[in-house]
Amino acid sequence: MVGVVRGVFALSRALGPERSGAVGAALARTIGPLLSAHKTALRNIRAAYPGKPEADVRAMARAAWDNLGRTGGEYPHLGALFDYDPDRTEPGRVEVDGIEHFLSLRDDGKPGIIFSAHLANWELPAICAARFGLDATAVFRPPNDPAVARVLHEIRSETMGTLEAARQGAAFAMQGALEKGGHLGMLIDQHFTRGVLVDFMGRPALVNPILGKFARRFDCPVHGVRVIRLPNYRFRLQLTPALDLPRDAEGQIDVQGAMQAMTSVVEGWVREYPEQWLWMHRRWRTPATVQGKVSSS
């Protein structure tokens, strides 16, 4: 099976990033609406945008499949895809808004936290960090298929810094990175069963609290980074300034409040470019008892 996956990726490399992305997008637009995940996407969009015409809901879901397929087609080209050079006179494939924050994180001698979301091609920030010498550990969730997971790990290892799979015991490695003055990068827009409750797109959702816990323990800068897919096969990376996170009466960062602040930033990103987000994920899975508490509070 690994050989089959490598063969598909080799074909994608031969096509080049633009054609490979276009093929992936066409396949996803065709196959995606036939899958059960499409129903999830439609439900999520309707709930996030009540009153939106059904034709617009379906168009947004198809556009989200397009982005997902395009991202998949771009995976074999991740190394070449990121071509940002601040000294270049002509624009390249990637532009970076907030490179000064990357450099400040790299040079301040302190640990730092960077959160992100499944927007556009969400792999690019980790490549940016590696290219500009930011000591960062990217936390990722491996695909369920072992063959796909193995090939993706090979590609990520060639282009990114330290990688840490989201698994039991990963928290110790993440803590160790911060203790050494390094940085953590993590996607926070997926359901986490043992998470803390936040409001996301007007609905209760559970989010992994680990970045809030680390922010409280290390009292370090927390930034958000997103990717925007632009016309003509281009991208923009945007790194926010450090967030001013809420604190408790003792002056320590409040974990739930921190996760809500990060989630609110993600919501703003999704609202701005909804067609570039992963609507197919079952993001809102809070128990009925929890939902009742939220609605009554």
Side-chain angles (χ1 to χ4, degrees), residues 93-205:
R93 192 189 305 275
V94 175
E95 59 187 61
V96 179
D97 181 6
I99 190 64
E100 68 276 10
H101 300 310
F102 272 104
L103 300 179
S104 177
L105 277 170
R106 183 191 66 186
D107 301 333
D108 64 8
K110 299 186 294 185
I113 291 171
I114 305 171
F115 65 91
S116 191
H118 290 86
L119 284 158
N121 191 318
W122 54 84
E123 302 284 5
L124 294 178
I127 301 175
C128 179
R131 293 281 177 88
F132 283 87
L134 178 67
D135 180 11
T137 297
V139 182
F140 67 97
R141 180 181 295 180
N144 294 329
D145 188 301
V148 176
R150 181 173 174 179
V151 175
L152 289 186
H153 185 75
E154 291 173 358
I155 293 173
R156 286 168 170 158
S157 298
E158 294 172 356
T159 57
M160 303 176 188
T162 305
L163 299 169
E164 181 60 42
R167 55 179 173 76
Q168 188 174 7
F172 295 104
M174 296 165 69
Q175 178 177 315
L178 291 172
E179 288 174 343
K180 296 174 183 176
H183 306 82
L184 282 180
M186 183 174 173
L187 300 159
I188 64 164
D189 58 337
Q190 291 192 304
H191 172 78
F192 188 75
T193 303
R194 302 180 305 281
V196 297
L197 195 65
V198 294
D199 179 273
F200 182 51
M201 310 288 281
R203 302 164 67 192

Side-chain angles (χ1 to χ4, degrees), residues 17 74 77-86 88 92-97 99 102 121 123-133 159-160 225-227 233 235-238:
E74 291 163 350
H77 306 278
L78 284 178
L81 210 59
F82 186 88
D83 64 351
Y84 174 71
D85 181 353
R88 176 183 290 175
R93 192 189 305 275
V94 175
E95 59 187 61
V96 179
D97 181 6
I99 190 64
F102 272 104
N121 191 318
E123 302 284 5
L124 294 178
I127 301 175
C128 179
R131 293 281 177 88
F132 283 87
T159 57
M160 303 176 188
V225 65
R226 67 165 168 174
V227 181
Y233 308 103
F235 303 89
R236 177 183 300 128
L237 273 65
Q238 288 185 331

Side-chain angles (χ1 to χ4, degrees), residues 55-88:
D56 293 347
V57 170
R58 294 184 177 276
M60 186 182 294
R62 287 195 300 272
W65 281 114
D66 181 290
N67 179 75
L68 181 59
R70 201 171 295 276
T71 300
E74 291 163 350
Y75 257 94
H77 306 278
L78 284 178
L81 210 59
F82 186 88
D83 64 351
Y84 174 71
D85 181 353
D87 298 324
R88 176 183 290 175

Side-chain angles (χ1 to χ4, degrees), residues 253-271:
I253 289 175
D254 176 75
V255 173
Q256 191 280 336
M259 297 314 305
Q260 180 62 70
M262 296 182 221
T263 299
S264 295
V265 172
V266 171
E267 177 173 339
W269 293 342
V270 174
R271 294 284 188 190

